[in-house]
Amino acid sequence: MNLKASHTKSYIKQALNNDVLRAAVDKATRTAVKKRADKVDAIPYWEELRYRAHVIKRDVIEHLDTYLQQFETQAQANGIKVHWAIDAAEARKIIHAIAVKNNVKTVVKSKSLTTEEIHLNTFLMDRDIQALETDLGEYIVQLLDHIPSHLTAPALHLSRQDIGKLFHEKLGVDYTENPNELLSIARARLRKKFLTADMGISGVNFAIAESGCLTIVENEANARLTIGLPKVHIAVMGIEKLLPSFRELAVFLKLLAPSATGQKQTVYVNIIGGPLHTLLGEGPEQVHVILLDNGRSKILADPQLRETLFCIRCGACLNACPIYQQVGGHAYGWVYMGPIGATLIPQYLGVKEGRYAPFVSSLCGACFHACPVRIDIPHHLLKLRHKVVESGHSKAIEKIGIKAWAFLARYPMLYRVATWFPGKVQKLYKKPFPVPGYTKERAVGLFDGKGFRRRYLDNEKAKGAKNSKLI
Ligand code: SF4
């Protein structure tokens, strides 16, 4: 499935006409919001944790060069091979070279948005390397040839019935919509693959600069099997995923699970210190980490927008967003979706391709309140809207409207006539003027013909009269 951020408007229309999708997304996000609230309410120092996380991430992003160098040195000392990739093409090339060198034919993957970002699966398949997703949600969307529709719950847009039908059609099993039976079917198929795979590919949640370790959190143990069983493990991470030390990791682990899945803690926290442990005799023979830039340095250059790099991909802002709740993740047209996706899309893909994304928001602020790292998403969306307008990619009707208003505002008499006139016409028309895409779903009142200026003067007059009575 190939999506394009520039087609966002048509995806939104499709999503709004899809009742099954809307019901599934609505149910899933409502449950997630409630579960998160229950866990967060039980942590009295939640707000302090959010502040702390924000400060830690600010320090990391502002000193990213130092932390990256420290991480590289420590990781190499641990026996991890560190690779730098400037963009998606270079990351794919590195992965392919490692695969060829090790005669890799089959790959198991654990959930990784970074590998979605570089379109790794298609690339590997085109080179006769079978890449199998092993996270249950990812496995389902891979069977469907979809991309994830949520940062932490890739198949959130599907109902149990959808998944039952999919397994019946693609895996040839009897139809069932029982979640436990569906889980068992997937597990039975995936287990065999772990044992025979030549290589495991994962993402990284947090990389620890002080110790050169990688941290991957999960609930299904598929990441543990992906990184532990095959002889080669490649971890692909964005360069922003660093933390100074394990002390800071404790803060993020406390924040991540309640925000992401409404759990106290994720079931597994995997910490990778290097390849095959000589004493324990377990683990892969090779561990590679790819530090991916792919546009992150450009984001880093903007002193305000760099805050969007603080994101730990928990998905809480998606669940809280009234727009996401209606349209789901595919409507955004890229691998990152929801409020944070709306900020990342124009930054990664360019203002022209991502021109609609910053407008897919009501700016209500729910995303900011849900964000465990206190990223001021509404503020960044506004800044990106400015960028879209400045680059000349706003809608023609908006440009004309603003120009007309700017002209009228310079001539008070003309302005008064222009604001008085619609009220008079509407009195004859007797119903609100239709505004395409707005009045279709909303009740709008009639103009009273007074306009803002007249109302303001009337209010002032009324206030004056009231005050003089008091005196
Ligand atoms: S912006 Fe905040 S709430 Fe949204 S995914 Fe990132 S960390 Fe989570």
Side-chain angles (χ1 to χ4, degrees):
M1 178 195 235
N2 274 327
L3 293 174
K4 277 180 161 282
S6 56
H7 294 183
T8 291
K9 278 171 84 175
S10 65
Y11 298 149
I12 288 176
K13 270 191 195 143
Q14 283 169 26
L16 289 175
N17 288 324
N18 186 338
D19 292 340
V20 179
L21 175 138
R22 289 181 71 183
V25 176
D26 183 63
K27 189 174 166 207
T29 49
R30 270 173 203 273
T31 312
V33 166
K34 166 132 191 16
K35 279 172 77 182
R36 175 193 171 274
D38 289 347
K39 285 294 167 301
V40 167
D41 290 349
I43 303 176
Y45 48 92
W46 181 258
E47 285 306 312
E48 283 82 351
L49 276 177
R50 287 178 76 213
Y51 274 105
R52 182 92 188 96
H54 186 91
V55 171
I56 293 168
K57 269 294 181 184
R58 183 163 295 288
D59 168 57
V60 167
I61 296 300
E62 285 177 1
H63 304 98
L64 195 56
D65 50 347
T66 312
Y67 284 119
L68 278 167
Q69 278 170 15
Q70 190 188 8
F71 171 76
E72 182 183 31
T73 310
Q74 293 305 322
Q76 283 171 341
N78 295 343
I80 298 176
K81 293 203 170 63
V82 181
H83 309 262
W84 298 81
I86 191 71
D87 56 19
E90 192 173 8
R92 291 190 299 251
K93 204 169 138 196
I94 295 166
I95 294 167
H96 188 235
I98 298 169
V100 169
K101 200 169 164 197
N102 290 284
N103 197 23
V104 169
K105 294 282 173 258
T106 53
V107 171
V108 279
K109 283 185 73 222
S110 67
K111 203 172 95 52
S112 155
L113 289 158
T114 319
T115 59
E116 296 283 350
E117 183 187 322
I118 62 172
H119 305 293
L120 185 60
N121 287 2
T122 331
F123 173 85
L124 292 176
M125 302 285 200
D126 289 348
R127 281 149 191 83
D128 290 329
I129 299 173
Q130 201 189 71
L132 182 77
E133 294 291 348
T134 62
D135 170 272
L136 180 62
E138 288 276 357
Y139 178 64
I140 292 166
V141 293
Q142 189 181 32
L143 279 178
L144 263 178
D145 192 25
H146 277 185
I147 64 166
S149 68
H150 189 278
L151 297 179
T152 57
L156 170 135
H157 58 297
L158 301 172
S159 64
R160 279 187 285 139
Q161 292 74 15
D162 289 333
I163 298 166
K165 271 186 236 156
L166 175 75
F167 279 17
H168 173 63
E169 281 163 22
K170 296 271 169 131
L171 305 178
V173 294
D174 290 341
Y175 173 83
T176 174
E177 53 186 63
N178 178 312
N180 287 333
E181 286 175 16
L182 291 168
L183 190 61
S184 302
I185 294 166
R187 186 184 285 138
R189 273 161 178 75
L190 290 170
R191 275 283 151 94
K192 290 180 205 148
K193 303 288 180 184
F194 286 118
L195 296 169
T196 51
D198 303 313
M199 186 158 88
I201 299 182
S202 72
V204 174
N205 289 98
F206 306 102
I208 312 297
E210 191 183 65
S211 61
C213 292
L214 306 169
T215 310
I216 301 171
V217 299
E218 52 151 345
N219 285 319
E220 298 174 14
N222 66 303
R224 181 160 289 201
L225 296 173
T226 299
I227 62 188
L229 285 178
K231 62 180 194 282
V232 184
H233 169 215
I234 302 180
V236 186
M237 62 172 261
I239 52 172
E240 80 282 16
K241 290 286 181 77
L242 284 166
L243 289 179
S245 72
F246 281 114
R247 271 187 308 279
E248 288 77 17
L249 177 66
V251 174
F252 283 86
L253 291 182
K254 191 94 191 158
L255 284 164
L256 180 56
S259 305
T261 44
Q263 290 167 283
K264 247 186 181 173
Q265 190 58 263
T266 46
V267 179
Y268 301 97
V269 177
N270 303 296
I271 296 177
I272 302 155
L276 185 68
H277 198 290
T278 39
L279 293 177
L280 298 173
E282 50 188 45
E285 289 163 21
Q286 298 171 36
V287 177
H288 301 260
V289 61
I290 298 177
L291 299 168
L292 177 72
D293 186 321
N294 206 27
R296 288 159 174 81
S297 304
K298 217 171 64 197
I299 299 176
L300 194 64
D302 187 308
Q304 285 171 27
L305 289 170
R306 62 167 58 156
E307 199 181 271
T308 54
L309 293 174
F310 295 9
C311 176
I312 55 170
R313 311 278 190 257
C314 72
C317 59
L318 280 60
N319 301 332
C321 174
I323 309 289
Y324 181 91
Q325 287 167 3
Q326 294 297 319
V327 297
H330 291 156
Y332 295 80
W334 199 44
V335 54
Y336 301 116
M337 66 294 281
I340 190 64
T343 69
L344 297 177
I345 288 168
Q347 296 190 84
Y348 278 96
L349 303 182
V351 171
K352 187 175 175 211
E353 176 69 14
R355 62 193 175 281
Y356 297 122
F359 296 90
V360 187
S361 169
S362 63
L363 300 180
C364 66
C367 48
F368 168 70
H369 292 290
C371 178
V373 202
R374 290 182 61 86
I375 300 174
D376 192 350
I377 298 173
H379 181 85
H380 301 311
L381 288 172
L382 272 177
K383 179 155 186 192
L384 288 158
R385 287 182 185 188
H386 288 160
K387 286 196 172 206
V388 173
V389 173
E390 277 162 13
S391 64
H393 289 108
S394 51
K395 285 189 250 169
I397 185 83
E398 267 176 25
K399 284 188 210 166
I400 295 167
I402 298 288
K403 275 199 180 138
W405 184 85
F407 174 77
L408 289 172
R410 270 179 274 150
Y411 302 97
M413 268 313 285
L414 211 55
Y415 190 90
R416 266 174 239 166
V417 174
T419 50
W420 164 86
F421 186 65
K424 295 292 162 204
V425 176
Q426 206 176 57
K427 268 194 182 154
L428 299 173
Y429 185 64
K430 291 200 173 67
K431 50 183 179 177
F433 294 127
V435 182
Y438 191 83
T439 45
K440 194 175 155 226
E441 307 285 347
R442 294 173 181 84
V444 180
L446 290 169
F447 287 127
D448 65 1
K450 279 186 180 172
F452 173 76
R453 192 173 171 278
R454 186 71 259 157
R455 273 167 176 263
Y456 182 78
L457 291 174
D458 287 352
N459 270 354
E460 290 300 297
K461 215 164 141 188
K463 261 199 258 167
K466 205 170 154 194
N467 289 343
S468 66
K469 267 190 201 162
L470 288 175
I471 293 164

